[in-house]
Amino acid sequence: MTVLRLEDIEHAYGTEPAVRGVTLELGAGEIVSLVGPSGCGKTTMLRLAAGLERLRGGAISLSGETVADTRTHAPPEARDVGLVFQDYALFPHLDVASNVGFGLGALSTAERDARVDDMLQLVGLSHLAGRFPHALSGGEQQRVALVRALAPRPKVLLLDEPFSGLDAAVRHRVREETRTLLREQGTATLLVTHDGDEALQLGDRVALMRDGELVQHGSGEDLYLHPVDAFAARFFGEVNELDAVVKEGVVSTPFGSLPAGDLTEGSTARVLFRPESLQLVDDGTTVARVEDSRILCGHRATVVTLENESTAPRRLEVRHDIDESVSAGDRVGLRLVEGGAWVFAAP
Ligand code: ADP
Ligand code: MG
């Protein structure tokens, strides 16, 4: 069942287009990440869904009922959506319990108190019910904002960069806890973020935008493993890039030939592959010199230059196991994993 549908959405500020022809659907209980670089139109999509902005074209429906098109505009309070903004927007003069209970005016006092207790317990904040927002850590504020939005059991939850105010050290865990909570509550959620990692961690599906348009839409695995273009490939992690000419349907690379798909014979192709698609091997036909190697979180990043290059030495990054120790000056063999490269037309 489709809970939220944004169809062929057009929006502009003045004459400056902000969203062009974007269609997005949210199924029951589903988490969809809407991701893209700053300024690509993500917040605009969210504000349109919430009713904070009037659309210029297209239509928005909640559970099959049109709430916005070029003639209709249901106000935010008439749309059953919960909102969490980047800065959390907690009411500073209300304590935690009153913040969480704010949207529960339709309930009796007893029902409201019970619901607030439940929500605070869910996120382990019962002991902070009487605190004011200024006396909470960033992570605590985030959880209060989240359960405040969830308390009225909205049809759809809209989150705009809700983790960007958190320290990197806690962000991963808070995202994981948030995902678990949304799963337990079964709340359909549209998460807006500029962070590719975050989009992959939370989204059952991921929609990638650029310059107001949808570039690619699918599972996280689809976007990470099968990007539709170089922009999509670069968005979800580091990539190595090299150019090669299409000849007899293939492009030759230092790692062997790759199918050129439907690229024109004689044209230049851009070959992209992730650092983890390169492997260090003892007996590789491709030999490289290690320039630098360091440990990052969870892997080792080694920069190499290819030997026997007729052109200027190419620097490539390899990501491999931490216990595969190498150092500057070492000669290593390289292998590109099967299916680990993408070939697109060069810009
Ligand atoms: P994102 O959330 O992806 O960073 P936004 O949806 O906020 O992007 O913005 C999309 C585009 O619309 C940007 O070019 C931005 O400058 C512009 N924009 C956003 N809000 C307004 C506004 N209130 N007035 C004018 N331009 C705006
Ligand atoms: Mg934004």
Side-chain angles (χ1 to χ4, degrees):
M1 192 190 76
T2 304
V3 179
L4 171 66
R5 183 169 164 78
L6 297 128
E7 191 175 347
D8 205 11
I9 300 298
E10 300 284 338
H11 196 62
Y13 297 99
T15 55
E16 204 52 45
V19 174
R20 291 178 291 189
V22 175
T23 295
L24 206 61
E25 255 188 26
L26 207 56
E30 196 178 28
I31 305 174
V32 172
S33 300
L34 183 59
V35 67
S38 176
C40 74
K42 307 178 297 291
T43 294
T44 300
M45 286 290 287
L46 207 82
R47 290 177 57 84
L48 288 165
L52 298 169
E53 201 76 55
R54 272 173 191 270
L55 53 70
R56 295 277 183 97
I60 301 172
S61 62
L62 277 166
S63 300
E65 196 182 318
T66 303
V67 293
D69 57 23
T70 42
R71 294 180 311 272
T72 326
H73 177 82
E77 60 276 12
R79 301 185 191 189
D80 192 3
V81 301
L83 276 165
V84 177
F85 296 103
Q86 184 166 0
D87 61 1
Y88 311 135
L90 297 177
F91 305 115
H93 57 290
L94 297 181
D95 66 13
V96 165
S98 306
N99 262 282
V100 175
F102 188 82
L104 304 177
L107 303 182
S108 70
T109 309
E111 284 171 328
R112 185 164 61 214
D113 289 349
R115 180 79 179 140
V116 169
D117 285 350
D118 282 352
M119 296 312 289
L120 289 179
Q121 203 163 359
L122 266 178
V123 289
L125 290 181
S126 306
H127 61 296
L128 298 181
R131 281 253 185 110
F132 284 84
H134 68 86
L136 301 174
S137 72
E140 289 161 353
Q141 289 181 36
Q142 193 267 351
R143 281 181 276 165
V144 173
L146 191 63
V147 291
R148 180 180 64 177
L150 284 171
R153 304 182 207 275
K155 269 201 190 96
V156 173
L157 187 62
L158 304 171
L159 307 176
D160 196 354
E161 312 264 7
F163 308 104
S164 57
L166 304 178
D167 289 347
V170 299
R171 211 179 291 147
H172 184 87
R173 186 173 48 76
V174 173
R175 287 177 192 158
E176 208 50 45
E177 287 168 0
T178 302
R179 183 177 152 81
T180 305
L181 177 66
L182 295 175
R183 277 270 169 278
E184 285 166 4
Q185 300 289 303
T187 312
T189 303
L190 184 60
L191 166 76
V192 157
T193 175
H194 66 276
D195 184 318
D197 209 35
E198 185 164 302
L200 296 177
Q201 190 181 348
L202 277 107
D204 301 312
R205 281 186 299 123
V206 177
L208 174 64
M209 281 181 78
R210 172 164 71 163
D211 292 343
E213 294 183 72
L214 205 59
V215 174
Q216 192 173 357
H217 187 188
S219 68
E221 215 164 298
D222 282 339
L223 274 81
Y224 190 83
L225 297 176
H226 309 289
V228 293
D229 60 15
F231 166 77
R234 290 184 198 116
F235 195 84
F236 292 99
E238 296 296 319
V239 281
N240 293 302
E241 304 192 19
L242 40 93
D243 285 347
V245 175
V246 178
K247 229 165 141 184
E248 293 168 10
V250 298
V251 290
S252 308
T253 77
F255 311 101
S257 1
L258 301 166
D262 51 8
L263 297 186
T264 316
E265 187 72 12
S267 69
T268 304
R270 173 67 52 88
V271 181
L272 298 96
F273 45 100
R274 298 211 187 280
E276 66 263 30
S277 295
L278 281 182
Q279 296 175 335
L280 300 183
V281 287
D282 294 331
D283 55 351
T285 46
T286 311
V287 179
R289 181 180 183 280
V290 174
E291 301 294 335
D292 189 23
S293 180
R294 40 197 76 215
I295 288 180
L296 304 184
C297 300
H299 60 267
R300 187 182 283 276
T302 296
V303 176
V304 299
T305 47
L306 295 177
E307 291 188 349
N308 312 320
E309 281 281 278
S310 49
T311 52
R314 258 195 287 252
R315 293 170 72 84
L316 299 174
E317 189 176 312
V318 188
R319 292 204 175 165
H320 54 105
D321 287 346
I322 287 176
D323 55 13
E324 282 182 323
S325 178
V326 290
S327 34
D330 286 356
R331 292 180 78 236
V332 291
L334 286 182
R335 198 177 82 87
L336 179 65
V337 301
E338 185 77 29
W342 309 294
V343 181
F344 301 115

